[in-house]
Amino acid sequence: MKYDPAHKLATHIKILEAIHRGFRRQGFEGAGIDGLAKDAGVTSGAFYKHFNSKADAFRESVSLGVVEFRAAVEHFQKEHGDAWLDEFAKFYLGEKRCSELGDSCGLQSLTPEVARSDLTTRSIFQSELLKAAKSFSAGLPLIAEQQDINRAWATMALLIGGVTLARAVEDPLLADEIADAVHNAVKPDVS
């Protein structure tokens, strides 16, 4: 039976979302094809109809993770105007940090995996990350274009690194202390 393109795309998205959770939860090495396929509710054969390899699936997952980050930034910019960064930081360092690892931000959970991956994966990550930084920068109060992008890189790194550190410590009070320190560091200067 031949499926129409819309059904095939919907199935692909369903599988991609499931494997994205699996890679965020288990990392590239920890996630196996059979487990990823099972989590997506498909067979391993169906997995291979949508992805040529585990590496190809990981590349799409990495791309999706950065696209989701950028979409969240743009959503907060639209919804909160000039207060977007403070609201985004509260969300990212609070709700997103405390979510189950499979629901975490792909940037904080997959970036270490990307650093250990091949050049193709790193290139895809870089391409999407540049777009995310541009969106992030566009929401910052204007100073100068190069300074804005530098502030975007620094602020994104603080947020992503802060969540990564806070998730890694055992003590929940220390995790909160790290998140609070990062939030204070990224708060826009209101003077």
Side-chain angles (χ1 to χ4, degrees), residues 60-123:
E60 280 198 49
S61 177
V62 165
S63 179
L64 177 61
V66 185
V67 166
E68 287 176 341
F69 178 84
R70 186 178 84 223
V73 165
E74 291 171 355
H75 168 77
F76 274 82
Q77 289 169 342
K78 182 179 177 185
E79 288 292 314
H80 299 284
D82 291 343
W84 81 269
L85 181 54
D86 188 49
E87 293 300 319
F88 180 75
K90 285 178 197 172
F91 163 74
Y92 197 79
L93 294 162
E95 180 182 332
K96 202 62 172 167
R97 168 180 64 95
C98 296
S99 66
E100 193 270 321
L101 194 56
D103 296 323
S104 67
C105 173
L107 280 172
Q108 68 89 14
S109 58
L110 295 177
T111 299
E113 301 286 329
V114 172
R116 290 187 281 273
S117 66
D118 61 26
L119 290 177
T120 302
T121 304
R122 292 172 76 173
S123 177

Side-chain angles (χ1 to χ4, degrees), residues 73 77 84-85 88 132-140 152 155-156 159:
V73 165
Q77 289 169 342
W84 81 269
L85 181 54
F88 180 75
K134 185 175 181 180
S135 289
F136 201 99
S137 173
L140 298 174
T155 306
M156 287 169 51
L159 289 166

Side-chain angles (χ1 to χ4, degrees), residues 28 31 52 55 68 103 111-112 115 122-123 126 133 169 178 184 187:
F28 181 79
N52 292 328
E68 287 176 341
D103 296 323
T111 299
R122 292 172 76 173
S123 177
Q126 178 177 309
V169 298
I178 292 166
N184 288 330
K187 276 185 184 175

